[in-house]
Amino acid sequence: MTSGTETTRFFPTFGPTAEREPFWFLGGQARILLPGAATDNRLSLMEFADPAGHAPPHHVHEDEEEVWFLLDGEVTFFVGDRRHDLVPGQVAHGTRGVPHSYLVRSPEGARMAVLFSPAFIEEYFRANGTPVAEVGDLPPAFDLAAVVASAEAFHLRVTGPPPPLLAAPPAYPPSTPTAPA
Protein backbone atom coordinates (compact mmCIF):
# COMPACT_ATOMS: atom_id res chain seq x y z
CA MET A 1 0.00 0.00 0.00
CA THR A 2 1.19 3.51 -0.79
CA SER A 3 1.36 6.15 1.94
CA GLY A 4 -0.32 9.54 1.55
CA THR A 5 3.07 11.20 1.17
CA GLU A 6 4.08 8.71 -1.53
CA THR A 7 0.78 9.29 -3.40
CA THR A 8 1.12 13.08 -3.25
CA ARG A 9 4.68 12.90 -4.53
CA PHE A 10 3.58 11.09 -7.71
CA PHE A 11 0.41 13.12 -8.24
CA PRO A 12 1.62 16.72 -8.08
CA THR A 13 -0.78 19.60 -8.36
CA PHE A 14 -0.90 21.57 -11.59
CA GLY A 15 -1.90 24.96 -10.25
CA PRO A 16 -0.14 28.08 -11.51
CA THR A 17 3.44 28.31 -10.32
CA ALA A 18 6.51 30.20 -11.48
CA GLU A 19 7.96 26.86 -12.58
CA ARG A 20 5.10 26.32 -15.06
CA GLU A 21 5.27 29.80 -16.58
CA PRO A 22 5.99 29.77 -20.32
CA PHE A 23 9.40 30.78 -21.61
CA TRP A 24 10.86 31.37 -25.05
CA PHE A 25 13.19 28.75 -26.48
CA LEU A 26 14.63 28.98 -30.02
CA GLY A 27 11.75 31.17 -31.17
CA GLY A 28 8.91 29.05 -29.73
CA GLN A 29 7.31 28.87 -26.31
CA ALA A 30 7.92 26.08 -23.81
CA ARG A 31 6.53 25.16 -20.39
CA ILE A 32 7.61 22.54 -17.90
CA LEU A 33 4.39 20.78 -16.94
CA LEU A 34 5.89 18.05 -14.77
CA PRO A 35 9.46 18.61 -13.59
CA GLY A 36 11.76 15.70 -12.86
CA ALA A 37 11.85 16.74 -9.22
CA ALA A 38 8.19 15.62 -8.94
CA THR A 39 8.98 12.10 -10.22
CA ASP A 40 12.33 11.30 -8.59
CA ASN A 41 13.77 12.23 -12.01
CA ARG A 42 12.09 9.23 -13.65
CA LEU A 43 10.49 11.48 -16.27
CA SER A 44 9.53 15.05 -17.10
CA LEU A 45 6.77 16.47 -19.27
CA MET A 46 6.96 19.69 -21.27
CA GLU A 47 4.71 21.57 -23.67
CA PHE A 48 6.11 23.29 -26.77
CA ALA A 49 4.22 25.79 -28.96
CA ASP A 50 6.23 26.53 -32.08
CA PRO A 51 5.55 28.75 -35.12
CA ALA A 52 5.30 27.59 -38.74
CA GLY A 53 8.70 26.62 -40.12
CA HIS A 54 10.24 26.08 -36.68
CA ALA A 55 12.93 23.39 -36.72
CA PRO A 56 15.63 22.79 -34.10
CA PRO A 57 19.04 21.54 -35.25
CA HIS A 58 19.42 17.76 -35.58
CA HIS A 59 20.61 16.54 -32.21
CA VAL A 60 21.12 13.50 -30.00
CA HIS A 61 20.06 12.99 -26.40
CA GLU A 62 22.62 10.64 -24.85
CA ASP A 63 20.53 10.03 -21.71
CA GLU A 64 16.83 10.48 -22.52
CA GLU A 65 14.12 8.73 -24.45
CA GLU A 66 11.77 11.32 -25.96
CA VAL A 67 8.08 10.91 -26.84
CA TRP A 68 6.25 13.62 -28.80
CA PHE A 69 2.45 13.80 -28.65
CA LEU A 70 1.10 16.27 -31.19
CA LEU A 71 -1.75 18.38 -29.77
CA ASP A 72 -2.29 20.93 -32.58
CA GLY A 73 -0.88 21.51 -36.06
CA GLU A 74 1.18 19.33 -38.40
CA VAL A 75 4.78 18.37 -37.72
CA THR A 76 7.31 16.21 -39.52
CA PHE A 77 9.66 14.31 -37.22
CA PHE A 78 13.02 13.06 -38.45
CA VAL A 79 14.33 10.22 -36.29
CA GLY A 80 17.49 8.52 -37.54
CA ASP A 81 16.85 7.85 -41.23
CA ARG A 82 13.06 7.80 -40.86
CA ARG A 83 10.48 10.50 -41.39
CA HIS A 84 7.13 10.67 -39.59
CA ASP A 85 4.42 13.16 -40.61
CA LEU A 86 2.09 13.68 -37.66
CA VAL A 87 -1.30 15.30 -37.24
CA PRO A 88 -3.01 16.01 -33.88
CA GLY A 89 -3.40 12.94 -31.71
CA GLN A 90 -0.43 11.08 -33.15
CA VAL A 91 2.78 10.15 -31.36
CA ALA A 92 6.44 9.77 -32.35
CA HIS A 93 9.32 8.33 -30.31
CA GLY A 94 12.96 9.38 -30.28
CA THR A 95 15.28 6.74 -28.88
CA ARG A 96 18.25 7.92 -26.82
CA GLY A 97 21.40 8.08 -28.89
CA VAL A 98 19.54 8.50 -32.22
CA PRO A 99 19.78 11.85 -34.10
CA HIS A 100 16.44 13.58 -34.50
CA SER A 101 14.70 16.87 -35.22
CA TYR A 102 11.31 18.12 -36.34
CA LEU A 103 9.78 20.69 -38.64
CA VAL A 104 6.48 22.51 -38.01
CA ARG A 105 4.56 22.32 -41.31
CA SER A 106 1.22 23.91 -40.46
CA PRO A 107 0.82 27.65 -41.15
CA GLU A 108 -0.76 28.21 -37.74
CA GLY A 109 2.16 26.58 -35.91
CA ALA A 110 1.98 23.52 -33.70
CA ARG A 111 1.68 22.53 -30.08
CA MET A 112 3.00 19.30 -28.58
CA ALA A 113 3.49 17.59 -25.26
CA VAL A 114 6.93 16.01 -24.91
CA LEU A 115 7.84 13.34 -22.38
CA PHE A 116 11.50 12.82 -21.44
CA SER A 117 12.75 9.81 -19.51
CA PRO A 118 14.75 10.03 -17.39
CA ALA A 119 14.26 13.65 -16.44
CA PHE A 120 16.74 16.54 -16.17
CA ILE A 121 16.83 17.78 -19.78
CA GLU A 122 14.03 20.20 -18.87
CA GLU A 123 16.70 22.15 -16.99
CA TYR A 124 18.59 22.64 -20.28
CA PHE A 125 15.49 24.23 -21.82
CA ARG A 126 14.91 26.39 -18.75
CA ALA A 127 18.57 27.49 -18.60
CA ASN A 128 18.47 28.58 -22.25
CA GLY A 129 15.01 30.13 -22.18
CA THR A 130 13.79 33.67 -21.73
CA PRO A 131 10.60 34.39 -19.72
CA VAL A 132 7.50 35.39 -21.69
CA ALA A 133 6.72 38.88 -20.38
CA GLU A 134 3.29 39.41 -21.96
CA VAL A 135 0.87 37.21 -23.85
CA GLY A 136 1.19 38.09 -27.52
CA ASP A 137 4.82 39.17 -27.26
CA LEU A 138 7.13 38.29 -30.11
CA PRO A 139 10.02 35.96 -29.27
CA PRO A 140 13.30 37.66 -28.46
CA ALA A 141 16.42 37.08 -30.51
CA PHE A 142 18.42 34.09 -29.30
CA ASP A 143 22.07 33.13 -29.54
CA LEU A 144 22.08 29.69 -31.19
CA ALA A 145 25.82 29.32 -30.63
CA ALA A 146 25.35 29.81 -26.86
CA VAL A 147 22.44 27.33 -26.78
CA VAL A 148 24.55 24.75 -28.64
CA ALA A 149 27.58 25.41 -26.43
CA SER A 150 25.55 24.75 -23.26
CA ALA A 151 24.25 21.40 -24.57
CA GLU A 152 27.29 19.30 -23.63
CA ALA A 153 26.67 19.71 -19.89
CA PHE A 154 23.25 18.07 -20.43
CA HIS A 155 24.63 15.19 -22.58
CA LEU A 156 22.97 16.71 -25.62
CA ARG A 157 24.92 16.83 -28.88
CA VAL A 158 24.06 18.82 -32.01
CA THR A 159 24.71 16.68 -35.10
CA GLY A 160 23.58 18.94 -37.96
CA PRO A 161 21.51 21.87 -39.13
CA PRO A 162 17.72 22.04 -38.86
CA PRO A 163 15.77 20.11 -41.49
CA PRO A 164 14.92 22.16 -44.60
CA LEU A 165 11.46 23.60 -45.12
CA LEU A 166 9.22 21.27 -47.09
CA ALA A 167 7.29 22.72 -50.03
CA ALA A 168 4.19 20.61 -49.33
CA PRO A 169 3.18 17.71 -47.12
CA PRO A 170 4.17 14.34 -48.58
CA ALA A 171 1.73 12.40 -50.74
CA TYR A 172 1.70 9.37 -48.41
CA PRO A 173 -0.40 8.89 -45.24
CA PRO A 174 0.80 10.51 -41.97
CA SER A 175 3.33 8.49 -39.94
CA THR A 176 4.41 6.42 -42.93
CA PRO A 177 8.20 6.26 -42.54
CA THR A 178 10.35 7.08 -45.54
CA ALA A 179 13.92 8.07 -46.13
CA PRO A 180 14.64 11.74 -45.32
CA ALA A 181 14.22 14.21 -48.14
Side-chain angles (χ1 to χ4, degrees):
M1 181 155 194
T2 305
S3 72
T5 303
E6 187 78 4
T7 301
T8 303
R9 183 174 62 152
F10 292 110
F11 292 94
T13 61
F14 288 97
T17 66
E19 187 169 66
R20 289 191 191 88
E21 290 296 316
F23 54 89
W24 295 108
F25 181 79
L26 296 183
Q29 283 191 22
R31 289 191 311 147
I32 299 170
L33 301 174
L34 181 63
T39 67
D40 284 341
N41 290 318
R42 289 179 176 97
L43 60 92
S44 61
L45 179 65
M46 294 185 66
E47 177 186 19
F48 292 87
D50 295 320
H54 178 86
H58 276 84
H59 58 280
V60 172
H61 296 263
E62 299 295 349
D63 297 336
E64 300 87 16
E65 301 285 323
E66 191 169 2
V67 177
W68 304 280
F69 180 76
L70 191 59
L71 302 170
D72 297 305
E74 296 177 1
V75 176
T76 296
F77 290 89
F78 301 91
V79 182
D81 63 352
R82 300 182 71 134
R83 172 182 167 160
H84 307 275
D85 294 288
L86 271 60
V87 296
Q90 292 185 312
V91 175
H93 171 242
T95 305
R96 84 185 76 211
V98 176
H100 60 274
S101 187
Y102 64 88
L103 172 68
V104 176
R105 295 189 334 262
S106 47
E108 67 279 3
R111 194 169 60 93
M112 63 188 113
V114 184
L115 179 78
F116 298 97
S117 180
F120 187 60
I121 195 69
E122 72 274 15
E123 298 305 327
Y124 165 77
F125 294 106
R126 185 194 324 267
N128 286 286
T130 304
V132 173
E134 299 276 335
V135 174
D137 277 355
L138 293 176
F142 57 89
D143 182 352
L144 183 58
V147 173
V148 170
S150 72
E152 186 177 338
F154 293 90
H155 304 167
L156 182 67
R157 186 169 33 93
V158 173
T159 58
L165 292 175
L166 305 171
Y172 52 87
S175 290
T176 301
T178 64

